[in-house]
Amino acid sequence: MTLEATTETTRDAAARAVDLRKSYGSGDSEVHALDGVSVEFERGAFTAIMGPSGSGKSTLMHCLAALDAPTAGRVVVDGTDVGSLNDKALTALRRERIGFVFQAFNLIPTLTARENILLPLDLAGTKPDKGWFDTVIEAVGLADRLGHRPAQMSGGQQQRVACARALASRPAIVFADEPTGNLDSASGAEVLAFLRRSVDEFGQTVVMVTHDAIAASYCDRVIFLADGLIVDELDRPTRDDILAHMTALQDAALKTKAATDGTGT
Ligand SMILES: Nc1ncnc2c1ncn2[C@@H]1O[C@H](COP(=O)(O)OP(=O)(O)O)[C@@H](O)[C@H]1O
Ligand SMILES: [Mg+2]
């Protein structure tokens, strides 16, 4: 691809990674969690990241969300080169332009749903946009739960609070790491429907790590990671397309492992 073409396609990405590398440890025990990942996330799209356990999904997402620093390569979020920021600017970027949803909800137990949702804005010293707050609360179905603390809510309700919190600042991009991993399928479907709606109706950009082909089938695009590299991609996939790709990748990984084990090491 020419430089011109690269510039053209990356201009309006919500986030992108360029030749991203992340290593842990050193010498014989060095692990290349990311081994040169370049990817961009178009605005207003819902993307899934899939791949076997240990393939680098969480590392990629943490680097993209500026929660972790890469060993090499660049991350650009909403037009800002993350590596160029000092700590203060990085904190502001995380609070104002990035939303994050964790598998384990990560709500503050002593705060009500409303207080949890508004916490990032409070920390940033900004007031919520009333219209946007009401829109998000309505969409996530929490209007009658705003005074409840996390312990008074089901897992599905807690994760919907976490989704509302991620969206409260109207961020440029929302990252979700296995957001349905701790939920039963009905609660998971509610969370996925909300994320889908936030993209379709509110123009949000969402990137989600998932193991689940049903969850990934809510997405516009699926990216497959293996051994720290993007190995495949699907656009507008069906659940069957996704399952077939997952099976092929698992088989390839098992063959590689068998070949490695067979060398007598
Ligand atoms: N803090 C860490 N220290 C050492 N190795 C790590 C650390 N975090 C991740 N890894 C290793 O990096 C690789 C990718 O991990 P991760 O991104 O968590 O994969 P995934 O989310 O796809 O399961 C794995 O081999 C994992 O063991
Ligand atoms: Mg992970």
Side-chain angles (χ1 to χ4, degrees):
M1 197 189 283
T2 66
L3 185 60
E4 214 175 333
T6 310
T7 312
E8 190 57 33
T9 54
T10 56
R11 191 171 45 198
D12 200 36
R16 65 190 160 102
V18 184
D19 199 20
L20 208 59
R21 291 165 195 274
K22 176 78 179 178
S23 307
Y24 294 105
S26 59
D28 281 352
S29 62
E30 188 171 5
V31 173
H32 299 285
L34 297 177
D35 209 9
V37 170
S38 297
V39 63
E40 48 185 78
F41 300 98
E42 186 196 334
R43 287 182 203 274
F46 190 3
T47 306
I49 300 176
M50 303 190 84
S53 182
S55 58
K57 303 180 297 294
S58 293
T59 304
L60 174 60
M61 188 158 277
H62 289 160
C63 289
L64 285 165
L67 295 171
D68 199 356
T71 308
R74 282 203 316 147
V75 171
V76 179
V77 173
D78 199 22
T80 300
D81 193 327
V82 173
S84 72
L85 302 178
N86 62 25
D87 282 353
K88 194 170 170 232
L90 207 49
T91 302
L93 178 89
R94 283 193 209 106
R95 279 182 189 155
E96 292 157 25
R97 286 194 273 166
I98 298 172
F100 211 101
V101 180
F102 301 88
Q103 180 173 351
F105 321 145
N106 290 20
L107 300 177
I108 310 279
T110 52
L111 299 182
T112 65
R114 176 194 294 277
E115 289 163 344
N116 268 289
I117 293 164
L118 294 177
L119 186 63
L121 293 177
D122 285 345
L123 290 171
T126 50
K127 290 250 175 295
D129 176 302
K130 174 88 170 77
W132 175 244
F133 179 82
D134 290 345
T135 300
V136 170
I137 296 305
E138 186 276 319
V140 88
L142 286 168
D144 57 350
R145 292 282 189 286
L146 287 176
H148 292 208
R149 292 202 166 71
Q152 300 170 297
M153 290 185 279
S154 68
Q157 288 167 346
Q158 290 184 58
Q159 193 62 307
R160 284 185 283 137
V161 171
C163 288
R165 176 180 60 185
L167 282 166
S169 69
R170 208 161 191 169
I173 189 160
V174 172
F175 295 101
D177 196 350
E178 307 250 11
T180 59
N182 281 353
L183 302 178
D184 61 74
S185 57
S187 303
E190 285 172 0
V191 165
L192 292 163
F194 171 72
L195 293 174
R196 183 70 251 177
R197 190 171 168 195
S198 77
V199 170
D200 292 340
E201 289 181 30
F202 313 142
Q204 289 284 309
T205 306
V206 181
V207 179
M208 168 177 76
V209 166
T210 183
H211 273 110
D212 178 5
I214 297 177
S217 69
Y218 281 75
C219 295
D220 301 305
R221 174 188 180 207
V222 182
I223 287 166
F224 294 90
L225 275 184
D227 296 326
L229 286 168
I230 293 177
V231 292
D232 216 339
E233 194 178 320
L234 288 172
D235 273 321
R236 312 239 160 229
T238 65
R239 189 173 39 150
D240 288 344
D241 295 337
I242 297 164
L243 282 170
H245 272 69
M246 285 167 74
T247 307
L249 286 174
Q250 298 281 10
D251 287 352
L254 286 175
K255 268 187 201 139
T256 309
K257 188 174 183 307
T260 313
D261 290 350
T263 57
T265 52

